[in-house]
């Protein structure tokens, strides 16, 4: 539980004080280390509020980080259940 809180604080600070790609790297690392890391969706929403802009390529869709967070969460959740050496306990 303490690790999860420390990671959340680090992500909060990285979101506001570092470039967007530092936060994305931290989120991916957190997804690998912490089981059921649903905070990725909220971090994606904050990224979209801070850095999001409508993309004409995607019909002016501006929630790219949130959608990416949902997709990464779904993929990591599916793969973690199938990994042999991944612990099944929640942190």
């Amino acid at each position: 539980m303490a690790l999860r809180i420390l990671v959340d604080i680090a992500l909060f600070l990285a979101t506001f004080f570092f470039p967007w790609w530092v936060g994305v790297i931290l989120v991916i690392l957190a997804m690998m280390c912490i089981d059921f890391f649903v905070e990725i969706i909220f971090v994606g929403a904050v990224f979209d509020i801070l850095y999001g802009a409508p993309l004409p390529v995607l019909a002016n869709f501006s929630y790219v980080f949130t959608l990416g967070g949902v997709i990464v969460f779904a993929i990591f959740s599916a793969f973690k259940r199938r990994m042999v050496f991944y612990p099944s306990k929640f942190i």
Side-chain angles (χ1 to χ4, degrees), residues 56-80:
V57 175
L58 300 174
N60 290 330
F61 184 72
S62 62
Y63 301 107
V64 176
F65 287 109
T66 305
L67 180 64
V70 170
I71 291 170
V72 168
F73 178 75
I75 289 171
F76 271 77
S77 295
F79 283 133
K80 281 183 181 179

Side-chain angles (χ1 to χ4, degrees), residues 1 3-5 7-8 26-40 72-83 85-91:
M1 188 68 174
L3 175 65
R4 187 178 208 107
I5 293 171
V7 170
D8 288 340
L26 288 176
V27 164
I28 297 296
L29 290 174
M31 283 294 299
M32 289 181 202
C33 297
I34 298 175
D35 197 22
F36 200 70
F37 192 70
V38 74
E39 290 93 336
I40 188 173
V72 168
F73 178 75
I75 289 171
F76 271 77
S77 295
F79 283 133
K80 281 183 181 179
R81 282 184 271 161
R82 290 177 175 78
M83 290 176 62
F85 298 109
Y86 187 78
S88 61
K89 66 175 184 164
F90 287 99
I91 295 175

